[in-house]
Amino acid sequence: MSTGDTAAMESFSLHCNLGVLNTKRWASGEELGIAVITWVERCDHHRR
């Protein structure tokens, strides 16, 4: 993994924590997984 890859993952992790993970207590891993996928799709679509 290159330095750029590491920086990208750290940035993603930070934004995911602020945007999804820390917003509420999740009932299940499946619920959290769906929320993360939805968040990524919404952010990715917004940037295009």
Side-chain angles (χ1 to χ4, degrees), residues 1-3 7 11-13 17 20-23 25-27 29 31 34-36 38-39 41 47-48:
M1 188 177 287
S2 73
T3 304
S11 176
F12 170 79
S13 179
N17 280 335
V20 179
L21 299 178
N22 295 335
T23 58
R25 184 177 279 267
W26 299 96
E31 182 185 6
I34 292 168
V36 168
T38 302
W39 178 79
E41 289 177 346
R47 290 181 182 171
R48 287 184 187 173

Side-chain angles (χ1 to χ4, degrees), residues 8-20:
M9 282 306 300
E10 287 176 1
S11 176
F12 170 79
S13 179
L14 172 66
H15 286 94
C16 189
N17 280 335
L18 297 174
V20 179

